[in-house]
Amino acid sequence: MNLGRVVGTVVASRKEPSMEGMKLLVVRRLGIDDAETGDYVVAVDAVGAGVGEVVLYASGSSARQTELTRDRPCDAVVMAIVDTWEVDGTTVYRK
Amino acid sequence: MNLGRVVGTVVASRKEPSMEGMKLLVVRRLGIDDAETGDYVVAVDAVGAGVGEVVLYASGSSARQTELTRDRPCDAVVMAIVDTWEVDGTTVYRK
Amino acid sequence: MNLGRVVGTVVASRKEPSMEGMKLLVVRRLGIDDAETGDYVVAVDAVGAGVGEVVLYASGSSARQTELTRDRPCDAVVMAIVDTWEVDGTTVYRK
Amino acid sequence: MNLGRVVGTVVASRKEPSMEGMKLLVVRRLGIDDAETGDYVVAVDAVGAGVGEVVLYASGSSARQTELTRDRPCDAVVMAIVDTWEVDGTTVYRK
Amino acid sequence: MNLGRVVGTVVASRKEPSMEGMKLLVVRRLGIDDAETGDYVVAVDAVGAGVGEVVLYASGSSARQTELTRDRPCDAVVMAIVDTWEVDGTTVYRK
C-alpha cells in the first residue's frame, strides 16, 4: 500500500456501468516524511475519506478486494484512513 | 486509475483474434494540474471516447473487468469520460 | 498496451517446460513519436511478428490471455502488429 | 520480491473491515548493496517482523497469497525475514 | 520478461511456510546491450540457475505460473536460462 493525501475529486457521468455510484478521489502520494510527491492516483473511496485526510490506498488487482470494488475496472482503492505513522521512532503524522 | 487525454488511435489488422473490433486509443497521461506528461498508453475504448476528451483509464488486470475486455490480452481500458476534476478546492478541468 | 519495435530474439533451451516452443522477442518500447526509448521487454510472440515490425504488447496477467500463453509464466505478449498510428491528427507511423 | 528494512508502523482505525487486525509496516526499499533508497512501501506483516529487521516483501496479487492476506485489499506483504544475502561472493548483510 | 544476471542469493529461515525450500536469487536487471543496470529483483529459481548465469525472469502474477511457485507469495521467478540473444542482427550475448 501507499500513503497519500486526498486532495480532490473527479466527476465522470459517462462511464462503465459497474462504476456507477463510486466516489473517485484524487490522491497525492506522500513521501515517507509526509511531504507530497508529484505523483498521484485516482482511487475509489471504500472508507468514506474526505479531502485533506491521509489515507492508505491499494493498487492493482488488490484494489478489487473490497465489497464495493469487486469485479469492477478499478485499479486503486482507498482502504484505510491513517491515524498515525511512525518512522525511526518518530511520529511523522498524527491525524 | 489515471487521468489522460485521448490524442490518437492505433490501427492493427493482424492481432490476437479476441481483440477484433476493439478501438485502440492513444492516451497521454495528464499531471494533476492537467498538463500533458511525456507518458502515454494504448488503451481499449469501453465508453465511446473521442480524440481530445479527458478520460480515466484503468491498468493491469482491472482493465479486463469490462464486458468488452473480459478475458482479452488487454492491459489498459478507458472506463470513464471526465466531466470535471478538482484539486485543493479549485476546478482544474471542466469538459 | 505499449507500442514497441521488435529488434531481436532470445534463445533459451533450459526453461520452464510450459514455455517450450514459444518465440521470445526483444521489443524496444517506442515513444508516442515513434522514437525508440531506452526501455525494452522480452515478450512472447502470439501473432507472428518479425524483426523490424512495430507491435503492441500487453503486460502482466493480461499477457496470459492468449491461447498460446494461458497459464504460463509469461508477463509480456506481442498481441498485435501495428499498421498505422495517429497522434494529434498526424500519422506518426505507417507500416 | 524486494529487500527492505522495516523502519516504522502505520495505525489506521477506520479501514476496510477485512483489514482488521493486520500489522502495517513501513518498509524502506534497500539497494543491492544494503543502502536505503528513497522508496518505501506499507506492507502487511505475515511473519512477525520487527522494526529494524531486513525483510523480503512481495507486491501485487502475490501479496495476497498468504493465509493472513488472502482476498484482502493488500498489495504488499512481508513474507520473509532475511538472515543473510550475498552478491558477487561477498556477504552484503548478516542479521 | 526481463533479462538479468544472477549475482547472488538470499537466505531467510523465518518465512511464510509456503516459501519453504525455494532458492532465492538476487538478479541484476540487464540493459538491452548486456550492461548491468542498477535495478535488481529477488526471484525464486524454477530452472536451476547458478550465480553468473544470464536468465529470463517473469514478474507479478505470472511469477506464480510454475509448478514450484503456484499459489505462493512470490512475485518474481527465474523461468529460463538464456543461451543467446540478438539485437539488430548482432549477437549481444552467448552463453
Side-chain angles (χ1 to χ4, degrees):
Chain A
M1 282 68 64
N2 283 291
L3 291 159
R5 182 167 285 118
V6 181
V7 295
T9 52
V10 175
V11 177
S13 48
R14 187 151 150 207
K15 60 191 159 196
E16 175 68 16
S18 67
M19 294 297 285
E20 280 301 331
M22 298 208 182
K23 195 169 150 199
L24 297 167
L25 301 174
V26 182
V27 181
R28 267 194 206 271
R29 203 185 165 203
L30 293 171
I32 202 169
D33 56 354
D34 193 27
E36 293 190 353
T37 68
D39 210 6
Y40 78 99
V41 74
V42 177
V44 166
D45 178 20
V47 291
V51 171
E53 281 187 301
V54 171
V55 297
L56 280 173
Y57 62 93
S59 303
S61 59
S62 299
R64 300 196 309 270
Q65 307 298 315
T66 74
E67 279 200 33
L68 188 65
T69 54
R70 202 166 304 276
D71 302 326
R72 318 280 160 130
C74 160
D75 64 8
V77 72
V78 171
M79 31 60 81
I81 298 176
V82 173
D83 296 321
T84 61
W85 96 73
E86 270 194 23
V87 172
D88 298 330
T90 304
T91 301
V92 177
Y93 168 85
R94 185 175 299 275
K95 195 179 171 174
Chain B
M1 283 69 64
N2 283 291
L3 291 159
R5 183 167 284 119
V6 181
V7 294
T9 52
V10 175
V11 177
S13 47
R14 188 152 149 206
K15 59 191 160 198
E16 176 68 16
S18 68
M19 294 297 285
E20 281 300 331
M22 297 208 182
K23 195 169 150 198
L24 298 167
L25 301 174
V26 182
V27 181
R28 267 193 207 270
R29 204 185 165 202
L30 293 171
I32 202 169
D33 56 354
D34 193 27
E36 293 190 353
T37 68
D39 210 6
Y40 77 98
V41 73
V42 178
V44 166
D45 178 20
V47 290
V51 171
E53 281 187 301
V54 171
V55 297
L56 281 172
Y57 61 93
S59 303
S61 60
S62 299
R64 301 197 308 270
Q65 307 297 314
T66 74
E67 279 199 34
L68 189 66
T69 55
R70 203 165 304 275
D71 302 326
R72 318 281 159 130
C74 160
D75 64 8
V77 71
V78 170
M79 31 60 80
I81 298 176
V82 174
D83 296 320
T84 61
W85 96 74
E86 269 194 23
V87 172
D88 299 330
T90 304
T91 301
V92 176
Y93 169 85
R94 185 176 298 275
K95 194 178 171 175
Chain C
M1 284 67 65
N2 282 290
L3 291 160
R5 182 168 285 118
V6 181
V7 295
T9 52
V10 175
V11 177
S13 47
R14 186 151 150 207
K15 60 191 160 196
E16 176 69 16
S18 67
M19 294 297 285
E20 281 300 330
M22 298 208 182
K23 196 170 150 197
L24 298 166
L25 301 174
V26 182
V27 181
R28 268 194 206 270
R29 204 186 164 202
L30 293 171
I32 202 170
D33 56 354
D34 193 26
E36 293 190 352
T37 69
D39 209 7
Y40 77 98
V41 74
V42 177
V44 166
D45 178 20
V47 290
V51 171
E53 281 187 300
V54 171
V55 297
L56 280 172
Y57 62 93
S59 303
S61 60
S62 299
R64 302 196 309 269
Q65 308 297 314
T66 74
E67 278 199 34
L68 188 66
T69 55
R70 203 164 305 275
D71 301 326
R72 318 281 159 129
C74 160
D75 64 7
V77 70
V78 171
M79 31 60 80
I81 298 176
V82 173
D83 296 320
T84 61
W85 96 74
E86 269 194 23
V87 172
D88 299 329
T90 304
T91 301
V92 176
Y93 169 84
R94 185 177 298 277
K95 194 178 172 175
Chain D
M1 284 67 65
N2 283 290
L3 291 160
R5 183 167 284 120
V6 181
V7 295
T9 52
V10 175
V11 177
S13 48
R14 187 150 150 208
K15 60 191 158 196
E16 176 69 16
S18 67
M19 293 297 285
E20 281 301 331
M22 298 207 182
K23 195 169 150 200
L24 297 167
L25 302 174
V26 181
V27 181
R28 268 195 207 270
R29 206 186 163 200
L30 293 171
I32 202 169
D33 55 355
D34 192 27
E36 293 190 352
T37 68
D39 209 6
Y40 78 99
V41 74
V42 177
V44 166
D45 178 21
V47 290
V51 171
E53 281 187 300
V54 171
V55 297
L56 280 173
Y57 61 94
S59 303
S61 59
S62 299
R64 301 197 309 269
Q65 308 297 314
T66 74
E67 279 200 33
L68 188 66
T69 55
R70 202 165 305 276
D71 301 325
R72 319 280 159 130
C74 159
D75 63 8
V77 71
V78 171
M79 30 61 78
I81 298 176
V82 172
D83 296 320
T84 61
W85 96 73
E86 269 194 23
V87 171
D88 298 330
T90 303
T91 301
V92 176
Y93 168 85
R94 184 176 301 275
K95 194 178 171 175
Chain E
M1 283 67 65
N2 283 290
L3 291 160
R5 182 166 285 119
V6 181
V7 294
T9 52
V10 175
V11 177
S13 48
R14 187 151 150 207
K15 60 191 160 196
E16 175 69 15
S18 68
M19 293 297 285
E20 281 301 329
M22 297 208 182
K23 196 170 151 198
L24 297 166
L25 301 175
V26 182
V27 181
R28 268 195 206 270
R29 204 186 164 203
L30 294 170
I32 202 169
D33 56 354
D34 193 27
E36 293 191 352
T37 69
D39 209 6
Y40 77 99
V41 74
V42 177
V44 166
D45 178 20
V47 291
V51 171
E53 281 187 300
V54 171
V55 297
L56 280 172
Y57 61 93
S59 303
S61 60
S62 299
R64 302 196 309 270
Q65 308 296 315
T66 73
E67 279 199 32
L68 189 66
T69 55
R70 202 165 305 274
D71 302 325
R72 318 282 159 128
C74 160
D75 64 8
V77 71
V78 171
M79 31 60 80
I81 298 176
V82 173
D83 296 320
T84 61
W85 96 74
E86 269 194 23
V87 172
D88 298 330
T90 304
T91 301
V92 176
Y93 169 84
R94 184 176 300 275
K95 195 180 172 173

